[in-house]
């Protein structure tokens, strides 16, 4: 692992030294680069893989004051440019995929293709009657998680978020203790993200300028709030490919890494040979 400053923030990152196909992996809330370890290890020869701890996560620094998703986008751009990966394929999970999507529409020159798993862009479907109940449940559960963080119960907040908004309870219990510990340590950064007014804001018109390969994925066992968001993105992005991971949920790169690698490499191969 390396540690350098990007945008005046110290970021911990890992970059494989060989391969002609650059691939940047962006973790979601509560996580760290370690969520991608099984995927990075299973990728075949030929990939130059970047994984990193987003600001405020893992071993990266958290600047004082209210953060913004725009800073996360700028960090990803700086990593890709500074490390000589441009243009790169980018795979993002959850809030990490919202960051990757923002980068794609703002700096398409840095992107070869993009793979997004269940971005939580819920404002996109706020007026959709079919999504009303799911979004109400999300709001209620998110409020409870935030209260728990504010009370100081970071471990309890992490478990509650994962078991009620991301994973099945049995999946959480089977995850390594290191994964659970990192999630608890990142609770205050999640609170910062929840207070960012721009965090989940996205305008579908921004997508019109991005015409490079795109893959939208979801888990067969994922909570119901993500499917309407993906449907809305696919409607505005008709050429984007779609894929559902059987028996997986919100974190397929963690729970089903072999399936995730297969889908990712197949997508990239299809567009490398075109």
């Amino acid at each position: 692992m390396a540690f350098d400053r990007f945008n005046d923030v110290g970021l911990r990152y890992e970059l494989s030294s060989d391969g002609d196909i650059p691939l940047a992996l962006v973790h979601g809330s509560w996580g760290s680069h370690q969520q991608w370890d099984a995927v990075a290890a299973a990728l075949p020869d030929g990939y130059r893989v970047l994984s990193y701890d987003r600001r405020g996560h893992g071993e990266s620094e958290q600047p004082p004051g209210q953060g913004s998703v725009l800073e996360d986008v700028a960090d990803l751009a700086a990593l890709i440019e500074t490390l000589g990966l441009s243009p790169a394929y980018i795979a993002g999970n959850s809030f990490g995929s919202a960051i990757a999507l923002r980068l794609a529409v703002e700096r398409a020159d840095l992107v070869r293709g993009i793979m997004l798993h269940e971005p939580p862009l819920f404002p996109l479907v706020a007026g959709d009657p079919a999504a009303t109940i799911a979004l109400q449940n999300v709001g209620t559960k998110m409020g409870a998680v935030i209260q728990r963080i504010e009370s100081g119960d970071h471990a309890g907040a992490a478990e509650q978020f994962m078991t009620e908004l991301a994973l099945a309870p049995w999946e959480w219990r089977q995850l390594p203790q290191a994964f659970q510990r990192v999630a608890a340590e990142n609770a205050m950064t999640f609170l910062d993200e929840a207070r960012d007014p721009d965090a989940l804001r996205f305008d579908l018109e921004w997508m019109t300028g991005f015409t490079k390969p795109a893959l939208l994925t979801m888990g067969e066992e994922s909570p119901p709030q993500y499917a309407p968001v993906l449907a809305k993105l696919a409607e505005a992005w008709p050429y984007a490919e779609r894929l559902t991971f059987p028996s997986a949920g919100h974190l397929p790169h963690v729970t089903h890494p072999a399936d995730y690698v297969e889908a990712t490499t197949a997508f990239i191969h299809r567009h490398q040979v075109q």
Side-chain angles (χ1 to χ4, degrees):
M1 293 291 290
F3 185 87
D4 286 306
R5 302 195 72 77
F6 302 84
N7 300 320
D8 294 324
V9 176
L11 299 180
R12 184 73 70 181
Y13 66 92
E14 185 166 5
L15 178 66
S16 62
S17 59
D18 56 357
D20 298 323
I21 304 173
L23 173 61
L25 306 172
V26 190
H27 69 79
S29 302
W30 304 91
S32 74
H33 77 280
Q34 293 174 327
Q35 289 188 351
W36 296 105
D37 283 353
V39 168
L43 284 166
D45 293 340
Y47 285 83
R48 192 172 187 218
V49 184
L50 167 69
S51 60
Y52 68 105
D53 292 342
R54 289 172 36 226
R55 60 171 59 203
H57 296 80
E59 298 180 45
S60 290
E61 294 178 353
Q62 174 64 66
Q66 176 61 53
S68 169
V69 64
L70 304 180
E71 295 170 334
D72 274 302
V73 174
D75 291 344
L76 179 56
L79 282 159
I80 290 172
E81 288 186 299
T82 304
L83 300 176
L85 301 177
S86 177
Y89 289 99
I90 304 176
N93 176 262
S94 193
F95 192 61
S97 60
I99 293 167
L101 180 57
R102 280 240 189 188
L103 179 72
V105 299
E106 294 176 14
R107 292 292 309 275
D109 59 303
L110 300 181
V111 182
R112 294 192 193 190
I114 189 167
M115 293 144 280
L116 309 176
H117 187 78
E118 300 181 347
L121 300 174
F122 304 127
L124 288 179
V125 296
D128 183 351
T132 299
I133 294 177
L135 293 186
Q136 288 175 344
N137 288 336
V138 169
T140 299
K141 292 174 180 178
M142 282 284 290
V145 169
I146 289 171
Q147 288 183 348
R148 206 159 184 173
I149 297 173
E150 292 174 333
S151 75
D153 182 10
H154 295 177
E159 181 175 0
Q160 184 172 359
F161 178 89
M162 290 295 175
T163 57
E164 295 185 3
L165 289 164
L167 300 171
W170 63 267
E171 287 182 305
W172 170 254
R173 289 191 293 269
Q174 288 185 359
L175 290 173
Q177 289 188 351
F179 181 104
Q180 298 180 15
R181 184 187 68 252
V182 168
E185 291 171 350
N186 291 337
M188 291 303 294
T189 300
F190 178 78
L191 182 62
D192 184 75
E193 291 174 357
R195 291 171 173 171
D196 173 19
D198 289 321
L200 305 183
R201 186 173 65 88
F202 191 80
D203 189 331
L204 292 176
E205 292 186 0
W206 298 346
M207 299 167 65
T208 57
F210 185 81
T211 58
K212 297 179 181 180
L215 175 64
L216 305 175
T217 67
M218 64 179 294
E220 184 180 43
E221 304 297 331
S222 288
Q225 64 264 23
Y226 299 106
V229 174
L230 286 169
K232 186 68 71 172
L233 290 174
E235 181 182 335
W237 225 354
Y239 71 89
E241 301 174 34
R242 298 193 65 179
L243 181 146
T244 298
F245 290 104
S247 304
H250 193 52
L251 301 177
H253 59 304
V254 176
T255 60
H256 296 70
D259 293 341
Y260 191 90
V261 167
E262 181 180 0
T264 299
T265 54
F267 168 75
I268 291 174
H269 178 73
R270 284 195 297 275
H271 296 285
Q272 284 287 105
V273 299
Q274 288 181 357

